[in-house]
Amino acid sequence: MSFGGCAGFMGQEPLRVNVAGVAPLEGEGLEMRLNLKLRVQNPNDSPVEYDGMSLELELNGEPFASGVSDQRGVVPRFGETLIEVPVTVPAFAVVRQAFAFGNSEHAGGFPYTLRGRLGGGMIGGTRFVHEGTLSLPAAP
C-alpha cells in the first residue's frame, strides 16, 4: 500500500491506509451502499490534519464503487485513526460482479484496488492506493 503525495516530497514516510471493515448500508432503488472503515496510520513525528476523503474501489480489476466523506480530524504523530466512508455501488457493477463471482477462482475473496485522496494539507491533500482481498457482506 502506498500513500504518496506531499509527505514523500517533504522527506516524511508515506501514510498507510488499510480497509478495516465493510458493512452494508440501506441503498436506494437498484444501487447498493456500503460503509468502508479505513485505518489510516501515520509513521511520522508530526500530526496530519485532514478535511474530507474521496475514493474509488475496483473489484476484480473493474470499477465497483465510489464515495466521499466530509469527516475532519487529525492522524496523530506515530498514531492512527479510523475514517468511515459510505460508498455507492451502481446496479450495473453489482450485476457485473455477480457474473464474475459465478466464474470466480477466488474462493470467497475478490482482489481490490482502493484509490483515493485525503483532503486538506498542502497542495490539495494526499493521494493513496491500497490493494488487497475483500469479502463482501450479505445484503441487509
Side-chain angles (χ1 to χ4, degrees):
M1 196 300 310
S2 66
F3 202 122
C6 300
F9 178 73
M10 295 170 36
Q12 295 187 4
E13 292 291 320
L15 299 175
R16 295 188 274 272
V17 176
N18 293 293
V19 176
V22 179
L25 294 172
E26 188 172 333
E28 296 272 334
L30 297 176
E31 70 184 10
M32 186 168 86
R33 303 265 297 153
L34 301 170
N35 188 47
L36 290 183
K37 288 185 182 181
L38 304 174
R39 182 170 310 279
V40 181
Q41 296 177 329
N42 179 6
N44 298 293
D45 62 0
S46 56
V48 174
E49 292 186 31
Y50 64 91
D51 186 3
M53 177 182 271
S54 65
L55 61 83
E56 294 178 348
L57 176 65
E58 289 181 2
L59 200 54
N60 285 328
E62 296 287 335
F64 184 68
S66 62
V68 293
S69 172
D70 65 354
Q71 276 186 273
R72 293 180 178 173
V74 175
V75 184
R77 61 184 289 280
F78 296 109
E80 61 184 38
T81 191
L82 284 174
I83 301 175
E84 295 188 21
V85 181
V87 297
T88 302
V89 182
F92 182 71
V94 173
V95 170
R96 182 176 53 230
Q97 291 302 324
F99 282 116
F101 180 74
N103 299 325
S104 179
E105 300 174 5
H106 300 296
F110 292 93
Y112 72 87
T113 302
L114 182 66
R115 290 183 176 83
R117 184 174 67 85
L118 193 62
M122 297 178 60
I123 312 175
T126 306
R127 298 193 179 278
F128 62 88
V129 176
H130 175 74
E131 295 180 338
T133 302
L134 181 67
S135 297
L136 295 178

